[in-house]
PDB file of all heavy atoms in Angstrom:
ATOM      1  N   GLN G 213      -0.846 -12.955  -0.649  1.00 98.00           N
ATOM      2  CA  GLN G 213      -2.283 -12.699  -0.827  1.00 98.00           C
ATOM      3  C   GLN G 213      -2.892 -13.858  -1.577  1.00 98.00           C
ATOM      4  O   GLN G 213      -4.059 -14.225  -1.279  1.00 98.00           O
ATOM      5  CB  GLN G 213      -2.481 -11.402  -1.581  1.00 98.00           C
ATOM      6  CG  GLN G 213      -3.947 -11.018  -1.687  1.00 98.00           C
ATOM      7  CD  GLN G 213      -4.196  -9.636  -2.169  1.00 98.00           C
ATOM      8  OE1 GLN G 213      -3.308  -8.992  -2.757  1.00 98.00           O
ATOM      9  NE2 GLN G 213      -5.391  -9.102  -1.947  1.00 98.00           N
ATOM     10  N   ARG G 214      -2.214 -14.418  -2.572  1.00 98.00           N
ATOM     11  CA  ARG G 214      -2.782 -15.516  -3.305  1.00 98.00           C
ATOM     12  C   ARG G 214      -3.150 -16.692  -2.411  1.00 98.00           C
ATOM     13  O   ARG G 214      -4.163 -17.369  -2.557  1.00 98.00           O
ATOM     14  CB  ARG G 214      -1.822 -15.987  -4.431  1.00 98.00           C
ATOM     15  CG  ARG G 214      -1.789 -15.064  -5.629  1.00 98.00           C
ATOM     16  CD  ARG G 214      -1.113 -15.693  -6.801  1.00 98.00           C
ATOM     17  NE  ARG G 214       0.317 -15.997  -6.526  1.00 98.00           N
ATOM     18  CZ  ARG G 214       1.297 -15.164  -6.748  1.00 98.00           C
ATOM     19  NH1 ARG G 214       1.042 -13.947  -7.242  1.00 98.00           N
ATOM     20  NH2 ARG G 214       2.544 -15.520  -6.480  1.00 98.00           N
ATOM     21  N   PHE G 215      -2.260 -16.934  -1.403  1.00 98.00           N
ATOM     22  CA  PHE G 215      -2.515 -18.016  -0.468  1.00 98.00           C
ATOM     23  C   PHE G 215      -3.650 -17.685   0.509  1.00 98.00           C
ATOM     24  O   PHE G 215      -4.613 -18.431   0.667  1.00 98.00           O
ATOM     25  CB  PHE G 215      -1.237 -18.407   0.293  1.00 98.00           C
ATOM     26  CG  PHE G 215      -1.482 -19.490   1.301  1.00 98.00           C
ATOM     27  CD1 PHE G 215      -1.423 -20.783   0.926  1.00 98.00           C
ATOM     28  CD2 PHE G 215      -1.726 -19.169   2.604  1.00 98.00           C
ATOM     29  CE1 PHE G 215      -1.669 -21.817   1.830  1.00 98.00           C
ATOM     30  CE2 PHE G 215      -1.955 -20.186   3.542  1.00 98.00           C
ATOM     31  CZ  PHE G 215      -1.922 -21.483   3.152  1.00 98.00           C
ATOM     32  N   VAL G 216      -3.481 -16.563   1.224  1.00 98.00           N
ATOM     33  CA  VAL G 216      -4.471 -16.304   2.277  1.00 98.00           C
ATOM     34  C   VAL G 216      -5.823 -15.980   1.720  1.00 98.00           C
ATOM     35  O   VAL G 216      -6.859 -16.238   2.403  1.00 98.00           O
ATOM     36  CB  VAL G 216      -3.995 -15.128   3.194  1.00 98.00           C
ATOM     37  CG1 VAL G 216      -2.677 -15.489   3.850  1.00 98.00           C
ATOM     38  CG2 VAL G 216      -3.866 -13.813   2.439  1.00 98.00           C
ATOM     39  N   GLY G 217      -5.865 -15.509   0.475  1.00 97.00           N
ATOM     40  CA  GLY G 217      -7.143 -15.203  -0.121  1.00 97.00           C
ATOM     41  C   GLY G 217      -8.021 -16.456  -0.300  1.00 97.00           C
ATOM     42  O   GLY G 217      -9.273 -16.351  -0.436  1.00 97.00           O
ATOM     43  N   THR G 218      -7.432 -17.639  -0.340  1.00 97.00           N
ATOM     44  CA  THR G 218      -8.202 -18.872  -0.510  1.00 97.00           C
ATOM     45  C   THR G 218      -8.319 -19.646   0.786  1.00 97.00           C
ATOM     46  O   THR G 218      -8.974 -20.699   0.811  1.00 97.00           O
ATOM     47  CB  THR G 218      -7.560 -19.772  -1.583  1.00 97.00           C
ATOM     48  OG1 THR G 218      -6.208 -20.075  -1.148  1.00 97.00           O
ATOM     49  CG2 THR G 218      -7.513 -19.089  -2.919  1.00 97.00           C
ATOM     50  N   HIS G 219      -7.684 -19.157   1.896  1.00 98.00           N
ATOM     51  CA  HIS G 219      -7.691 -19.912   3.156  1.00 98.00           C
ATOM     52  C   HIS G 219      -8.235 -19.138   4.278  1.00 98.00           C
ATOM     53  O   HIS G 219      -8.348 -19.679   5.394  1.00 98.00           O
ATOM     54  CB  HIS G 219      -6.287 -20.408   3.476  1.00 98.00           C
ATOM     55  CG  HIS G 219      -5.802 -21.480   2.518  1.00 98.00           C
ATOM     56  ND1 HIS G 219      -5.238 -21.163   1.306  1.00 98.00           N
ATOM     57  CD2 HIS G 219      -5.839 -22.829   2.623  1.00 98.00           C
ATOM     58  CE1 HIS G 219      -4.938 -22.340   0.679  1.00 98.00           C
ATOM     59  NE2 HIS G 219      -5.269 -23.326   1.462  1.00 98.00           N
ATOM     60  N   SER G 220      -8.508 -17.834   4.143  1.00 98.00           N
ATOM     61  CA  SER G 220      -9.063 -16.995   5.212  1.00 98.00           C
ATOM     62  C   SER G 220     -10.177 -16.125   4.664  1.00 98.00           C
ATOM     63  O   SER G 220     -10.082 -15.616   3.520  1.00 98.00           O
ATOM     64  CB  SER G 220      -8.013 -16.171   5.853  1.00 98.00           C
ATOM     65  OG  SER G 220      -8.635 -15.194   6.771  1.00 98.00           O
ATOM     66  N   ASP G 221     -11.185 -15.914   5.449  1.00 97.00           N
ATOM     67  CA  ASP G 221     -12.304 -15.021   5.034  1.00 97.00           C
ATOM     68  C   ASP G 221     -12.150 -13.648   5.653  1.00 97.00           C
ATOM     69  O   ASP G 221     -13.014 -12.772   5.511  1.00 97.00           O
ATOM     70  CB  ASP G 221     -13.656 -15.612   5.520  1.00 97.00           C
ATOM     71  CG  ASP G 221     -13.969 -16.911   4.825  1.00 97.00           C
ATOM     72  OD1 ASP G 221     -13.574 -17.077   3.654  1.00 97.00           O
ATOM     73  OD2 ASP G 221     -14.620 -17.767   5.472  1.00 97.00           O
ATOM     74  N   LEU G 222     -11.027 -13.383   6.363  1.00 97.00           N
ATOM     75  CA  LEU G 222     -10.831 -12.105   7.017  1.00 97.00           C
ATOM     76  C   LEU G 222      -9.491 -11.440   6.545  1.00 97.00           C
ATOM     77  O   LEU G 222      -8.642 -11.149   7.374  1.00 97.00           O
ATOM     78  CB  LEU G 222     -10.769 -12.288   8.561  1.00 97.00           C
ATOM     79  CG  LEU G 222     -12.128 -12.348   9.265  1.00 97.00           C
ATOM     80  CD1 LEU G 222     -11.906 -12.588  10.741  1.00 97.00           C
ATOM     81  CD2 LEU G 222     -12.914 -11.070   9.068  1.00 97.00           C
ATOM     82  N   VAL G 223      -9.391 -11.225   5.262  1.00 98.00           N
ATOM     83  CA  VAL G 223      -8.197 -10.573   4.697  1.00 98.00           C
ATOM     84  C   VAL G 223      -8.524  -9.164   4.316  1.00 98.00           C
ATOM     85  O   VAL G 223      -9.441  -8.902   3.576  1.00 98.00           O
ATOM     86  CB  VAL G 223      -7.697 -11.388   3.450  1.00 98.00           C
ATOM     87  CG1 VAL G 223      -6.437 -10.696   2.911  1.00 98.00           C
ATOM     88  CG2 VAL G 223      -7.412 -12.819   3.834  1.00 98.00           C
ATOM     89  N   ASN G 224      -7.693  -8.229   4.808  1.00 97.00           N
ATOM     90  CA  ASN G 224      -7.834  -6.813   4.465  1.00 97.00           C
ATOM     91  C   ASN G 224      -6.519  -6.228   3.977  1.00 97.00           C
ATOM     92  O   ASN G 224      -5.459  -6.606   4.543  1.00 97.00           O
ATOM     93  CB  ASN G 224      -8.305  -6.031   5.730  1.00 97.00           C
ATOM     94  CG  ASN G 224      -9.777  -6.328   6.058  1.00 97.00           C
ATOM     95  OD1 ASN G 224     -10.688  -5.792   5.453  1.00 97.00           O
ATOM     96  ND2 ASN G 224      -9.998  -7.167   7.071  1.00 97.00           N
ATOM     97  N   CYS G 225      -6.574  -5.392   2.989  1.00 98.00           N
ATOM     98  CA  CYS G 225      -5.399  -4.852   2.370  1.00 98.00           C
ATOM     99  C   CYS G 225      -5.345  -3.320   2.524  1.00 98.00           C
ATOM    100  O   CYS G 225      -6.365  -2.649   2.363  1.00 98.00           O
ATOM    101  CB  CYS G 225      -5.315  -5.188   0.887  1.00 98.00           C
ATOM    102  SG  CYS G 225      -5.200  -6.929   0.514  1.00 98.00           S
ATOM    103  N   PHE G 226      -4.170  -2.827   2.843  1.00 98.00           N
ATOM    104  CA  PHE G 226      -3.859  -1.422   2.748  1.00 98.00           C
ATOM    105  C   PHE G 226      -2.822  -1.238   1.691  1.00 98.00           C
ATOM    106  O   PHE G 226      -1.681  -1.818   1.810  1.00 98.00           O
ATOM    107  CB  PHE G 226      -3.367  -0.850   4.074  1.00 98.00           C
ATOM    108  CG  PHE G 226      -4.415  -0.693   5.119  1.00 98.00           C
ATOM    109  CD1 PHE G 226      -4.658  -1.719   6.038  1.00 98.00           C
ATOM    110  CD2 PHE G 226      -5.185   0.462   5.206  1.00 98.00           C
ATOM    111  CE1 PHE G 226      -5.615  -1.616   7.024  1.00 98.00           C
ATOM    112  CE2 PHE G 226      -6.119   0.594   6.167  1.00 98.00           C
ATOM    113  CZ  PHE G 226      -6.396  -0.450   7.077  1.00 98.00           C
ATOM    114  N   ASP G 227      -3.111  -0.518   0.628  1.00 98.00           N
ATOM    115  CA  ASP G 227      -2.157  -0.385  -0.511  1.00 98.00           C
ATOM    116  C   ASP G 227      -1.908   1.085  -0.781  1.00 98.00           C
ATOM    117  O   ASP G 227      -2.823   1.852  -1.089  1.00 98.00           O
ATOM    118  CB  ASP G 227      -2.758  -1.034  -1.726  1.00 98.00           C
ATOM    119  CG  ASP G 227      -1.772  -1.180  -2.897  1.00 98.00           C
ATOM    120  OD1 ASP G 227      -0.734  -0.479  -2.874  1.00 98.00           O
ATOM    121  OD2 ASP G 227      -2.044  -1.949  -3.778  1.00 98.00           O
ATOM    122  N   THR G 228      -0.654   1.524  -0.619  1.00 98.00           N
ATOM    123  CA  THR G 228      -0.302   2.942  -0.808  1.00 98.00           C
ATOM    124  C   THR G 228      -0.496   3.373  -2.270  1.00 98.00           C
ATOM    125  O   THR G 228      -0.541   4.585  -2.544  1.00 98.00           O
ATOM    126  CB  THR G 228       1.112   3.228  -0.361  1.00 98.00           C
ATOM    127  OG1 THR G 228       2.064   2.495  -1.159  1.00 98.00           O
ATOM    128  CG2 THR G 228       1.274   2.861   1.119  1.00 98.00           C
ATOM    129  N   ARG G 229      -0.560   2.438  -3.202  1.00 98.00           N
ATOM    130  CA  ARG G 229      -0.820   2.793  -4.601  1.00 98.00           C
ATOM    131  C   ARG G 229      -2.168   3.497  -4.819  1.00 98.00           C
ATOM    132  O   ARG G 229      -2.359   4.180  -5.825  1.00 98.00           O
ATOM    133  CB  ARG G 229      -0.737   1.551  -5.523  1.00 98.00           C
ATOM    134  CG  ARG G 229       0.677   1.192  -5.953  1.00 98.00           C
ATOM    135  CD  ARG G 229       0.590   0.086  -7.009  1.00 98.00           C
ATOM    136  NE  ARG G 229       1.906  -0.246  -7.510  1.00 98.00           N
ATOM    137  CZ  ARG G 229       2.169  -1.288  -8.308  1.00 98.00           C
ATOM    138  NH1 ARG G 229       1.168  -2.067  -8.701  1.00 98.00           N
ATOM    139  NH2 ARG G 229       3.389  -1.564  -8.689  1.00 98.00           N
ATOM    140  N   GLU G 230      -3.073   3.304  -3.878  1.00 98.00           N
ATOM    141  CA  GLU G 230      -4.409   3.871  -3.985  1.00 98.00           C
ATOM    142  C   GLU G 230      -4.442   5.358  -3.670  1.00 98.00           C
ATOM    143  O   GLU G 230      -5.416   6.036  -3.890  1.00 98.00           O
ATOM    144  CB  GLU G 230      -5.386   3.126  -3.100  1.00 98.00           C
ATOM    145  CG  GLU G 230      -5.614   1.641  -3.401  1.00 98.00           C
ATOM    146  CD  GLU G 230      -6.589   1.028  -2.474  1.00 98.00           C
ATOM    147  OE1 GLU G 230      -7.604   1.688  -2.132  1.00 98.00           O
ATOM    148  OE2 GLU G 230      -6.374  -0.134  -2.100  1.00 98.00           O
ATOM    149  N   VAL G 231      -3.312   5.849  -3.101  1.00 98.00           N
ATOM    150  CA  VAL G 231      -3.295   7.214  -2.570  1.00 98.00           C
ATOM    151  C   VAL G 231      -2.612   8.146  -3.577  1.00 98.00           C
ATOM    152  O   VAL G 231      -1.539   7.870  -4.079  1.00 98.00           O
ATOM    153  CB  VAL G 231      -2.535   7.236  -1.213  1.00 98.00           C
ATOM    154  CG1 VAL G 231      -2.347   8.662  -0.744  1.00 98.00           C
ATOM    155  CG2 VAL G 231      -3.252   6.377  -0.194  1.00 98.00           C
ATOM    156  N   ALA G 232      -3.253   9.287  -3.862  1.00 98.00           N
ATOM    157  CA  ALA G 232      -2.643  10.318  -4.713  1.00 98.00           C
ATOM    158  C   ALA G 232      -1.570  11.033  -3.920  1.00 98.00           C
ATOM    159  O   ALA G 232      -1.692  11.256  -2.713  1.00 98.00           O
ATOM    160  CB  ALA G 232      -3.712  11.330  -5.134  1.00 98.00           C
ATOM    161  N   GLU G 233      -0.493  11.391  -4.626  1.00 98.00           N
ATOM    162  CA  GLU G 233       0.664  12.047  -3.990  1.00 98.00           C
ATOM    163  C   GLU G 233       1.133  13.178  -4.882  1.00 98.00           C
ATOM    164  O   GLU G 233       0.826  13.184  -6.102  1.00 98.00           O
ATOM    165  CB  GLU G 233       1.798  11.035  -3.706  1.00 98.00           C
ATOM    166  CG  GLU G 233       1.402   9.991  -2.727  1.00 98.00           C
ATOM    167  CD  GLU G 233       2.486   8.911  -2.538  1.00 98.00           C
ATOM    168  OE1 GLU G 233       3.624   9.138  -2.999  1.00 98.00           O
ATOM    169  OE2 GLU G 233       2.170   7.851  -1.965  1.00 98.00           O
ATOM    170  N   PRO G 234       1.940  14.154  -4.378  1.00 98.00           N
ATOM    171  CA  PRO G 234       2.319  15.275  -5.181  1.00 98.00           C
ATOM    172  C   PRO G 234       3.497  15.066  -6.103  1.00 98.00           C
ATOM    173  O   PRO G 234       3.958  16.010  -6.755  1.00 98.00           O
ATOM    174  CB  PRO G 234       2.685  16.314  -4.089  1.00 98.00           C
ATOM    175  CG  PRO G 234       3.235  15.503  -2.977  1.00 98.00           C
ATOM    176  CD  PRO G 234       2.364  14.258  -2.977  1.00 98.00           C
ATOM    177  N   PHE G 235       3.992  13.816  -6.253  1.00 97.00           N
ATOM    178  CA  PHE G 235       5.248  13.602  -6.945  1.00 97.00           C
ATOM    179  C   PHE G 235       5.045  13.354  -8.452  1.00 97.00           C
ATOM    180  O   PHE G 235       4.139  12.572  -8.877  1.00 97.00           O
ATOM    181  CB  PHE G 235       5.994  12.432  -6.338  1.00 97.00           C
ATOM    182  CG  PHE G 235       6.222  12.592  -4.839  1.00 97.00           C
ATOM    183  CD1 PHE G 235       5.526  11.780  -3.950  1.00 97.00           C
ATOM    184  CD2 PHE G 235       7.060  13.575  -4.374  1.00 97.00           C
ATOM    185  CE1 PHE G 235       5.670  11.929  -2.613  1.00 97.00           C
ATOM    186  CE2 PHE G 235       7.221  13.759  -3.044  1.00 97.00           C
ATOM    187  CZ  PHE G 235       6.551  12.919  -2.140  1.00 97.00           C
ATOM    188  N   THR G 236       5.864  14.008  -9.274  1.00 94.00           N
ATOM    189  CA  THR G 236       5.818  13.803 -10.709  1.00 94.00           C
ATOM    190  C   THR G 236       6.629  12.623 -11.122  1.00 94.00           C
ATOM    191  O   THR G 236       6.447  12.080 -12.218  1.00 94.00           O
ATOM    192  CB  THR G 236       6.294  15.077 -11.454  1.00 94.00           C
ATOM    193  OG1 THR G 236       7.638  15.388 -10.941  1.00 94.00           O
ATOM    194  CG2 THR G 236       5.371  16.243 -11.194  1.00 94.00           C
ATOM    195  N   ASP G 237       7.543  12.170 -10.300  1.00 94.00           N
ATOM    196  CA  ASP G 237       8.363  11.019 -10.580  1.00 94.00           C
ATOM    197  C   ASP G 237       7.905   9.857  -9.731  1.00 94.00           C
ATOM    198  O   ASP G 237       7.970   9.914  -8.470  1.00 94.00           O
ATOM    199  CB  ASP G 237       9.815  11.330 -10.231  1.00 94.00           C
ATOM    200  CG  ASP G 237      10.791  10.243 -10.687  1.00 94.00           C
ATOM    201  OD1 ASP G 237      10.359   9.052 -10.707  1.00 94.00           O
ATOM    202  OD2 ASP G 237      11.929  10.556 -11.061  1.00 94.00           O
ATOM    203  N   PRO G 238       7.428   8.768 -10.321  1.00 92.00           N
ATOM    204  CA  PRO G 238       6.851   7.645  -9.510  1.00 92.00           C
ATOM    205  C   PRO G 238       7.887   7.005  -8.599  1.00 92.00           C
ATOM    206  O   PRO G 238       7.518   6.336  -7.609  1.00 92.00           O
ATOM    207  CB  PRO G 238       6.325   6.672 -10.573  1.00 92.00           C
ATOM    208  CG  PRO G 238       7.030   7.043 -11.836  1.00 92.00           C
ATOM    209  CD  PRO G 238       7.248   8.525 -11.773  1.00 92.00           C
ATOM    210  N   GLU G 239       9.167   7.133  -8.927  1.00 93.00           N
ATOM    211  CA  GLU G 239      10.195   6.560  -8.064  1.00 93.00           C
ATOM    212  C   GLU G 239      10.162   7.125  -6.640  1.00 93.00           C
ATOM    213  O   GLU G 239      10.576   6.487  -5.682  1.00 93.00           O
ATOM    214  CB  GLU G 239      11.558   6.751  -8.662  1.00 93.00           C
ATOM    215  CG  GLU G 239      11.856   5.991  -9.937  1.00 93.00           C
ATOM    216  CD  GLU G 239      13.260   6.212 -10.461  1.00 93.00           C
ATOM    217  OE1 GLU G 239      14.124   6.692  -9.675  1.00 93.00           O
ATOM    218  OE2 GLU G 239      13.495   5.981 -11.659  1.00 93.00           O
ATOM    219  N   LEU G 240       9.685   8.361  -6.534  1.00 97.00           N
ATOM    220  CA  LEU G 240       9.693   9.022  -5.211  1.00 97.00           C
ATOM    221  C   LEU G 240       8.626   8.492  -4.312  1.00 97.00           C
ATOM    222  O   LEU G 240       8.685   8.697  -3.069  1.00 97.00           O
ATOM    223  CB  LEU G 240       9.569  10.545  -5.432  1.00 97.00           C
ATOM    224  CG  LEU G 240      10.653  11.194  -6.304  1.00 97.00           C
ATOM    225  CD1 LEU G 240      10.373  12.690  -6.447  1.00 97.00           C
ATOM    226  CD2 LEU G 240      12.040  10.927  -5.757  1.00 97.00           C
ATOM    227  N   ARG G 241       7.631   7.824  -4.882  1.00 98.00           N
ATOM    228  CA  ARG G 241       6.552   7.253  -4.059  1.00 98.00           C
ATOM    229  C   ARG G 241       7.061   6.154  -3.141  1.00 98.00           C
ATOM    230  O   ARG G 241       6.538   5.954  -2.031  1.00 98.00           O
ATOM    231  CB  ARG G 241       5.419   6.773  -4.961  1.00 98.00           C
ATOM    232  CG  ARG G 241       4.695   7.846  -5.730  1.00 98.00           C
ATOM    233  CD  ARG G 241       3.592   7.257  -6.606  1.00 98.00           C
ATOM    234  NE  ARG G 241       2.641   6.499  -5.831  1.00 98.00           N
ATOM    235  CZ  ARG G 241       1.444   6.961  -5.449  1.00 98.00           C
ATOM    236  NH1 ARG G 241       1.054   8.167  -5.736  1.00 98.00           N
ATOM    237  NH2 ARG G 241       0.626   6.159  -4.712  1.00 98.00           N
ATOM    238  N   LYS G 242       8.041   5.444  -3.604  1.00 97.00           N
ATOM    239  CA  LYS G 242       8.633   4.371  -2.762  1.00 97.00           C
ATOM    240  C   LYS G 242       9.101   4.943  -1.448  1.00 97.00           C
ATOM    241  O   LYS G 242       8.856   4.368  -0.375  1.00 97.00           O
ATOM    242  CB  LYS G 242       9.782   3.715  -3.508  1.00 97.00           C
ATOM    243  CG  LYS G 242      10.701   2.846  -2.635  1.00 97.00           C
ATOM    244  CD  LYS G 242      11.916   2.339  -3.422  1.00 97.00           C
ATOM    245  CE  LYS G 242      12.955   1.694  -2.508  1.00 97.00           C
ATOM    246  NZ  LYS G 242      14.068   1.163  -3.257  1.00 97.00           N
ATOM    247  N   ILE G 243       9.722   6.081  -1.481  1.00 98.00           N
ATOM    248  CA  ILE G 243      10.344   6.679  -0.301  1.00 98.00           C
ATOM    249  C   ILE G 243       9.319   6.950   0.759  1.00 98.00           C
ATOM    250  O   ILE G 243       9.489   6.668   1.950  1.00 98.00           O
ATOM    251  CB  ILE G 243      11.096   7.975  -0.657  1.00 98.00           C
ATOM    252  CG1 ILE G 243      12.244   7.649  -1.649  1.00 98.00           C
ATOM    253  CG2 ILE G 243      11.676   8.613   0.622  1.00 98.00           C
ATOM    254  CD1 ILE G 243      12.867   8.880  -2.279  1.00 98.00           C
ATOM    255  N   VAL G 244       8.161   7.555   0.361  1.00 98.00           N
ATOM    256  CA  VAL G 244       7.165   8.021   1.320  1.00 98.00           C
ATOM    257  C   VAL G 244       6.178   6.959   1.708  1.00 98.00           C
ATOM    258  O   VAL G 244       5.319   7.189   2.592  1.00 98.00           O
ATOM    259  CB  VAL G 244       6.451   9.317   0.865  1.00 98.00           C
ATOM    260  CG1 VAL G 244       7.443  10.387   0.560  1.00 98.00           C
ATOM    261  CG2 VAL G 244       5.582   9.003  -0.373  1.00 98.00           C
ATOM    262  N   SER G 245       6.236   5.757   1.120  1.00 98.00           N
ATOM    263  CA  SER G 245       5.213   4.759   1.330  1.00 98.00           C
ATOM    264  C   SER G 245       4.969   4.419   2.803  1.00 98.00           C
ATOM    265  O   SER G 245       3.833   4.199   3.210  1.00 98.00           O
ATOM    266  CB  SER G 245       5.521   3.512   0.493  1.00 98.00           C
ATOM    267  OG  SER G 245       6.746   2.936   0.826  1.00 98.00           O
ATOM    268  N   PRO G 246       6.037   4.318   3.652  1.00 98.00           N
ATOM    269  CA  PRO G 246       5.742   3.995   5.042  1.00 98.00           C
ATOM    270  C   PRO G 246       4.922   5.084   5.784  1.00 98.00           C
ATOM    271  O   PRO G 246       4.077   4.760   6.586  1.00 98.00           O
ATOM    272  CB  PRO G 246       7.136   3.831   5.667  1.00 98.00           C
ATOM    273  CG  PRO G 246       8.070   4.520   4.782  1.00 98.00           C
ATOM    274  CD  PRO G 246       7.482   4.372   3.415  1.00 98.00           C
ATOM    275  N   MET G 247       5.204   6.354   5.448  1.00 98.00           N
ATOM    276  CA  MET G 247       4.393   7.436   6.061  1.00 98.00           C
ATOM    277  C   MET G 247       2.954   7.397   5.555  1.00 98.00           C
ATOM    278  O   MET G 247       2.040   7.625   6.331  1.00 98.00           O
ATOM    279  CB  MET G 247       5.006   8.775   5.771  1.00 98.00           C
ATOM    280  CG  MET G 247       4.283   9.895   6.503  1.00 98.00           C
ATOM    281  SD  MET G 247       4.962  11.524   6.181  1.00 98.00           S
ATOM    282  CE  MET G 247       4.537  11.796   4.470  1.00 98.00           C
ATOM    283  N   ILE G 248       2.739   7.072   4.272  1.00 98.00           N
ATOM    284  CA  ILE G 248       1.395   7.000   3.728  1.00 98.00           C
ATOM    285  C   ILE G 248       0.637   5.859   4.422  1.00 98.00           C
ATOM    286  O   ILE G 248      -0.518   6.032   4.809  1.00 98.00           O
ATOM    287  CB  ILE G 248       1.462   6.776   2.214  1.00 98.00           C
ATOM    288  CG1 ILE G 248       2.157   7.949   1.518  1.00 98.00           C
ATOM    289  CG2 ILE G 248       0.055   6.550   1.665  1.00 98.00           C
ATOM    290  CD1 ILE G 248       1.449   9.264   1.619  1.00 98.00           C
ATOM    291  N   LEU G 249       1.298   4.741   4.611  1.00 98.00           N
ATOM    292  CA  LEU G 249       0.669   3.611   5.265  1.00 98.00           C
ATOM    293  C   LEU G 249       0.304   3.984   6.689  1.00 98.00           C
ATOM    294  O   LEU G 249      -0.845   3.687   7.129  1.00 98.00           O
ATOM    295  CB  LEU G 249       1.637   2.412   5.248  1.00 98.00           C
ATOM    296  CG  LEU G 249       1.066   1.033   5.566  1.00 98.00           C
ATOM    297  CD1 LEU G 249       0.882   0.842   7.048  1.00 98.00           C
ATOM    298  CD2 LEU G 249      -0.217   0.713   4.806  1.00 98.00           C
ATOM    299  N   TYR G 250       1.199   4.623   7.413  1.00 98.00           N
ATOM    300  CA  TYR G 250       0.868   5.054   8.782  1.00 98.00           C
ATOM    301  C   TYR G 250      -0.311   5.985   8.789  1.00 98.00           C
ATOM    302  O   TYR G 250      -1.200   5.939   9.637  1.00 98.00           O
ATOM    303  CB  TYR G 250       2.074   5.674   9.456  1.00 98.00           C
ATOM    304  CG  TYR G 250       1.759   6.176  10.826  1.00 98.00           C
ATOM    305  CD1 TYR G 250       1.925   5.356  11.957  1.00 98.00           C
ATOM    306  CD2 TYR G 250       1.336   7.475  11.065  1.00 98.00           C
ATOM    307  CE1 TYR G 250       1.647   5.801  13.240  1.00 98.00           C
ATOM    308  CE2 TYR G 250       1.005   7.951  12.339  1.00 98.00           C
ATOM    309  CZ  TYR G 250       1.165   7.088  13.398  1.00 98.00           C
ATOM    310  OH  TYR G 250       0.889   7.554  14.674  1.00 98.00           O
ATOM    311  N   CYS G 251      -0.307   6.931   7.863  1.00 98.00           N
ATOM    312  CA  CYS G 251      -1.349   7.935   7.780  1.00 98.00           C
ATOM    313  C   CYS G 251      -2.730   7.298   7.638  1.00 98.00           C
ATOM    314  O   CYS G 251      -3.704   7.747   8.306  1.00 98.00           O
ATOM    315  CB  CYS G 251      -1.051   8.859   6.582  1.00 98.00           C
ATOM    316  SG  CYS G 251      -2.388   9.971   6.095  1.00 98.00           S
ATOM    317  N   ILE G 252      -2.864   6.288   6.844  1.00 98.00           N
ATOM    318  CA  ILE G 252      -4.184   5.703   6.609  1.00 98.00           C
ATOM    319  C   ILE G 252      -4.578   4.699   7.700  1.00 98.00           C
ATOM    320  O   ILE G 252      -5.767   4.610   8.083  1.00 98.00           O
ATOM    321  CB  ILE G 252      -4.299   5.097   5.201  1.00 98.00           C
ATOM    322  CG1 ILE G 252      -3.269   4.063   4.927  1.00 98.00           C
ATOM    323  CG2 ILE G 252      -4.229   6.208   4.145  1.00 98.00           C
ATOM    324  CD1 ILE G 252      -3.316   3.431   3.539  1.00 98.00           C
ATOM    325  N   THR G 253      -3.611   3.978   8.242  1.00 98.00           N
ATOM    326  CA  THR G 253      -3.938   3.022   9.278  1.00 98.00           C
ATOM    327  C   THR G 253      -4.278   3.745  10.609  1.00 98.00           C
ATOM    328  O   THR G 253      -4.936   3.166  11.506  1.00 98.00           O
ATOM    329  CB  THR G 253      -2.828   2.019   9.547  1.00 98.00           C
ATOM    330  OG1 THR G 253      -1.596   2.669   9.793  1.00 98.00           O
ATOM    331  CG2 THR G 253      -2.687   1.076   8.347  1.00 98.00           C
TER     332      THR G 253
END
C-alpha cells in the first residue's frame, strides 16, 4: 500500500478489521477473515 498509494490514483482497500464480529477472543477473527472478505466484496 505504501508503494501503490504514491503511484496509482485508483487504489481501493477492503479490510476485515472494519467489520464487527461476535468473537470475544481477537485470535478467532483471523480464522473467519476470508469469509468476511467474501461477504463484503
